[in-house]
Amino acid sequence: ILPRELFYAFSLSDPKFHELYENWVLSNYERRLSPSIDRIDTSKGYILGNIRWITHSENSKLGNMSKNKRIMV
């Protein structure tokens, strides 16, 4: 797992985080729009180069797709 200080630096320097955060605040904090960290490659950990900011809703959809894929295999 990424050290806290590195995670904060990554987040605060990422324009996507700021965009998502602003949209979340403007939505009156709708959960589906809250910023959520996502692993690009789920076989790897939460490391720089493998994480990105997306909405909670997008992350939930990706998680459900992943679960369904495992069930079908």
Side-chain angles (χ1 to χ4, degrees):
I1 295 180
L2 203 57
R4 181 183 308 177
E5 296 79 19
L6 207 49
F7 177 73
Y8 288 166
F10 162 77
S11 299
L12 294 175
S13 68
D14 188 342
K16 185 67 175 182
F17 169 75
H18 292 282
E19 175 190 334
L20 291 171
Y21 182 81
E22 185 176 323
N23 288 338
W24 178 55
V25 171
L26 291 172
S27 76
N28 201 29
Y29 307 100
E30 284 188 47
R31 181 182 172 126
R32 67 182 187 82
L33 296 178
S34 65
S36 179
I37 201 71
D38 176 54
R39 288 178 297 153
I40 297 164
D41 180 344
T42 58
S43 70
K44 297 180 182 176
Y46 290 90
I47 56 173
L48 288 181
N50 192 47
I51 56 175
R52 64 182 174 172
W53 286 103
I54 61 176
T55 65
H56 175 73
S57 176
E58 291 169 316
N59 213 347
S60 293
K61 288 176 188 173
L62 289 172
N64 287 335
M65 285 175 23
S66 178
K67 286 178 190 174
N68 290 336
K69 188 175 184 181
R70 283 190 304 237
I71 291 170
M72 293 174 66
V73 171

